[in-house]
């Protein structure tokens, strides 16, 4: 069984789409996606520097476009994925849940990119209202880490499993946590501009909810996991509701990985820009094969990987 996963914010890197522009269809797709999302994805994907693509309003549509483009290059499109039957499931981390919903057929690529554009701008505006951020807490006992985060006045925004919990909140409080980390743990600042998946994003959630009211989703054609609780969503309406709610709710990637374990997933394919979720799987789902798509040079290996885990 194959799990196809879409990474979240912080995994973007400068120039990550440059090598993909050798394919004529990539530029065409990026032009379309740019119009839907309201930002120049060709320029940002090929030329913009690290600081520019750290901007939430840019990073989110860039990551969604990257996932959809790499999926398309592998033939993992909404019209073809149902052909794999019960041997495929799809999930996305944080913002990655939106392209995951598009691949599962719950959203069109147009609607997905429109929602991403609104989500990214709204979360950027919310982040600008107060100096907040996020930091990964690596290692330590989970209960002690969660207690330390709470005592620092922060929220556990991502519970990623494999010894990684992401704290979010005021930058001053994040600094205090870094200076006094939990036992046997390290605190590493993340390349994001705000305290996502916390109450700081309440206004952004409302703006996305308003936009979602105009959307008519379809029921997923393949198994789609929600990172709200790791469970499959049964309807398009539920998928859309979870996408809206996760703006202020913690990401439970640990629960997604547990569902993958219970479902008998044998291979995890992480779409562009791959690496982060494959790394979590190597630690949290030991023995499960992983492959991360980073450049077009990975496509042949990815095709073989798909065949090996859907046979």
């Amino acid at each position: 069984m194959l799990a196809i996963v879409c990474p979240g914010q912080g995994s973007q890197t400068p120039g990550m789409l440059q090598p993909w522009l050798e394919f004529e269809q990539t530029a065409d797709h990026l032009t379309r996606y740019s119009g839907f999302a309201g930002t120049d994805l060709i320029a940002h994907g090929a030329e913009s520097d690290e600081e520019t693509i750290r901007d939430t309003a840019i990073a989110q549509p860039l990551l969604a476009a990257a996932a959809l483009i790499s999926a398309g290059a592998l033939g993992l499109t909404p019209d073809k994925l149902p052909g794999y039957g019960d041997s495929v499931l799809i999930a996305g981390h944080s913002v990655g849940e939106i392209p995951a919903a598009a691949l599962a057929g719950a959203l069109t690529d147009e609607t997905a990119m429109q929602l991403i554009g609104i989500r990214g701008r709204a979360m950027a505006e919310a982040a600008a209202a107060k100096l907040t951020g996020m930091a990964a807490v690596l290692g330590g006992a989970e209960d002690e880490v969660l207690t330390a985060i709470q005592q620092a006045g922060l929220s556990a925004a991502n519970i990623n499993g494999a010894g990684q919990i992401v704290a979010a909140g005021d930058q001053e409080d994040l600094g205090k946590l870094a200076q006094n980390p939990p036992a046997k743990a390290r605190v590493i600042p993340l390349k994001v501009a705000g305290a996502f998946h916390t109450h700081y994003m309440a206004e952004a959630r409302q703006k996305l909810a308003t936009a979602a009211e105009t959307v008519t989703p379809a029921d997923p054609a393949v198994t789609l996991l929600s990172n709200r609780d790791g469970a499959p969503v049964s309807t398009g309406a539920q998928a859309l509701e979870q996408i809206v709610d996760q703006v202020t709710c913690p990401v439970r990637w640990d629960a997604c990985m547990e569902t993958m374990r219970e479902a008998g997933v044998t291979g995890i394919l992480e779409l562009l820009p791959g690496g982060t979720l494959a790394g979590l799987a190597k630690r949290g789902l030991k023995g499960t094969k992983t492959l991360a798509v980073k450049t077009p040079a990975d496509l042949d290996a990815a095709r073989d990987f798909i065949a090996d885990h859907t046979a």
Side-chain angles (χ1 to χ4, degrees), residues 185-297:
R186 295 179 295 141
V187 178
I188 301 176
L190 297 182
K191 295 183 291 184
V192 297
F196 306 143
H197 306 293
T198 72
H199 66 278
Y200 289 101
M201 296 290 118
E203 289 190 15
R205 182 201 176 281
Q206 184 55 53
K207 290 177 181 177
L208 184 61
T210 299
E213 291 175 357
T214 67
V215 174
T216 303
D219 293 343
V222 296
T223 300
L224 173 66
L225 304 186
S226 166
N227 62 47
R228 173 76 178 273
D229 56 10
V233 294
S234 57
T235 67
Q238 184 187 15
L240 189 58
E241 180 182 359
Q242 300 283 53
I243 284 169
V244 171
D245 283 349
Q246 58 134 265
V247 173
T248 53
C249 292
V251 171
R252 292 298 307 272
W253 193 250
D254 61 332
C256 287
M257 289 200 296
E258 184 57 31
T259 299
M260 293 177 198
R261 186 198 311 277
E262 294 172 354
V265 166
T266 56
I268 296 177
L269 176 70
E270 184 176 3
L271 298 174
L272 182 71
T276 301
L277 300 182
L280 289 173
K282 287 177 181 177
R283 296 188 294 275
L285 291 171
K286 294 185 184 298
T288 303
K289 301 294 184 182
T290 65
L291 191 148
V293 178
K294 300 179 180 180
T295 73

Side-chain angles (χ1 to χ4, degrees), residues 151-166:
Q151 290 178 343
L154 301 165
S155 299
N158 299 167
I159 302 177
N160 288 330
Q164 184 189 108
I165 297 174
V166 176

Side-chain angles (χ1 to χ4, degrees), residues 2-300:
L2 177 71
I4 302 166
V5 298
C6 304
Q9 197 165 342
S11 57
Q12 70 273 10
T13 57
M16 66 184 188
L17 292 181
Q18 179 61 56
W20 296 84
L21 289 171
E22 66 184 67
F23 302 121
E24 182 178 348
Q25 64 268 31
T26 297
D28 293 341
H29 286 315
L30 286 176
T31 298
R32 288 181 63 244
Y33 295 162
S34 294
F36 300 148
T39 190
D40 188 342
L41 296 171
I42 294 179
H44 292 314
E47 302 170 7
S48 293
D49 60 19
E50 183 173 8
E51 185 62 27
T52 299
I53 65 172
R54 185 174 180 268
D55 182 343
T56 302
I58 294 171
Q60 292 194 11
L62 190 60
L63 287 163
L68 293 175
I69 284 167
S70 56
L74 290 166
L76 301 175
T77 52
D79 59 324
K80 295 180 180 178
L81 276 167
Y84 290 100
D86 294 333
S87 62
V88 164
L89 65 78
I90 301 175
H93 188 285
S94 186
V95 68
E97 193 161 71
I98 297 182
L103 293 177
L107 301 173
T108 65
D109 62 350
E110 176 178 352
T111 298
M113 294 307 300
Q114 288 172 339
L115 290 176
I116 284 281
I118 293 166
R119 184 186 192 271
R121 288 188 294 274
M123 292 176 75
E125 290 169 3
K130 186 173 178 59
L131 190 59
T132 60
M134 305 176 80
V137 185
L138 307 179
E142 182 172 312
D143 58 343
E144 293 179 7
V145 170
L146 292 171
T147 297
I149 290 172
Q150 183 179 24
Q151 290 178 343
L154 301 165
S155 299
N158 299 167
I159 302 177
N160 288 330
Q164 184 189 108
I165 297 174
V166 176
D170 186 275
Q171 284 286 9
E172 184 176 341
D173 293 333
L174 287 169
K176 292 177 182 177
L177 181 67
Q179 291 172 0
N180 187 30
K184 299 181 180 179
R186 295 179 295 141
V187 178
I188 301 176
L190 297 182
K191 295 183 291 184
V192 297
F196 306 143
H197 306 293
T198 72
H199 66 278
Y200 289 101
M201 296 290 118
E203 289 190 15
R205 182 201 176 281
Q206 184 55 53
K207 290 177 181 177
L208 184 61
T210 299
E213 291 175 357
T214 67
V215 174
T216 303
D219 293 343
V222 296
T223 300
L224 173 66
L225 304 186
S226 166
N227 62 47
R228 173 76 178 273
D229 56 10
V233 294
S234 57
T235 67
Q238 184 187 15
L240 189 58
E241 180 182 359
Q242 300 283 53
I243 284 169
V244 171
D245 283 349
Q246 58 134 265
V247 173
T248 53
C249 292
V251 171
R252 292 298 307 272
W253 193 250
D254 61 332
C256 287
M257 289 200 296
E258 184 57 31
T259 299
M260 293 177 198
R261 186 198 311 277
E262 294 172 354
V265 166
T266 56
I268 296 177
L269 176 70
E270 184 176 3
L271 298 174
L272 182 71
T276 301
L277 300 182
L280 289 173
K282 287 177 181 177
R283 296 188 294 275
L285 291 171
K286 294 185 184 298
T288 303
K289 301 294 184 182
T290 65
L291 191 148
V293 178
K294 300 179 180 180
T295 73
D298 298 318
L299 290 176
D300 285 343

